[in-house]
Amino acid sequence: MPQSIDGIIQRLVDRGGVDVSAQVEEPMRRRVAELMAPLKGQALCHDLAVQITTILSTDRMLLALQPPRFWIHFSDPDAAPAERFLGVVVTRAVSLELAILSAALFDIHPGGQANGAELSAYLTIDDAFCDRLLSPAEAEHLTRMLDAQVN
């Protein structure tokens, strides 16, 4: 994680976003830059990270731009095979990195290793499956629902 808010802002507004999993569109990059401008120059700390995550997840204009949804899979690679799966979170964010950070800051990250991917925009996902830790049974049910939309 960058050590300054300026580094976070720069990574969020650069073409391509913070990671290669999501292409951040120009209007979204401009809005993120506007929202983060007042925070420039501050040292990154837990409270500031929570503030950033809250701003980016609740801004109406940013939400109107429909940031992508991400599927985040949590696992413990050191656990026995039957106990490796820790859960899934589906959430909207401007990047996979921010989706994982949000899960951690809002206590829906169960620990372990986080891997994720952007979900296609055409997929319909009931809000009841979003922004919380899904159990293995719920994650399997949602997977079947998404597979049915694709196949």
Side-chain angles (χ1 to χ4, degrees), residues 2 5-6 38 44 47 53 60 64 67 73 100 104 109 111 115 118 136 139-140:
I5 186 63
D6 297 16
L44 185 60
D47 290 344
T53 303
R60 287 186 177 170
H73 175 100
I100 293 169
H109 187 311
N115 293 301
E118 180 179 345
E140 187 176 320

Side-chain angles (χ1 to χ4, degrees), residues 17-137:
V18 237
D19 56 53
V20 295
S21 66
Q23 179 67 29
V24 180
E25 300 296 329
E26 180 65 29
M28 195 175 297
R29 289 198 312 270
R30 279 196 308 267
R31 183 61 182 160
V32 167
E34 290 170 13
L35 293 169
M36 297 294 103
L39 305 175
K40 282 189 174 188
Q42 295 185 39
L44 185 60
C45 63
H46 180 269
D47 290 344
L48 185 58
V50 170
Q51 186 178 352
I52 292 167
T53 303
T54 302
I55 289 168
L56 295 179
S57 63
T58 60
D59 179 70
R60 287 186 177 170
M61 184 180 285
L62 194 58
L63 291 174
L65 294 171
Q66 288 296 305
R69 280 204 167 118
F70 289 91
W71 174 285
I72 308 167
H73 175 100
F74 299 97
S75 63
D76 181 354
D78 299 326
E83 299 170 3
R84 286 190 183 145
F85 179 81
L86 299 176
V88 164
V89 170
V90 175
T91 191
R92 285 194 187 277
V94 293
S95 72
L96 176 59
E97 182 179 72
L98 244 141
I100 293 169
L101 176 64
S102 294
L105 294 172
F106 294 115
D107 294 326
I108 55 175
H109 187 311
Q113 189 174 47
N115 293 301
E118 180 179 345
L119 294 170
S120 296
Y122 67 84
L123 293 172
T124 303
I125 301 171
D126 188 319
D127 286 340
F129 288 103
C130 298
D131 301 315
R132 65 184 184 85
L133 185 65
L134 301 179
S135 69

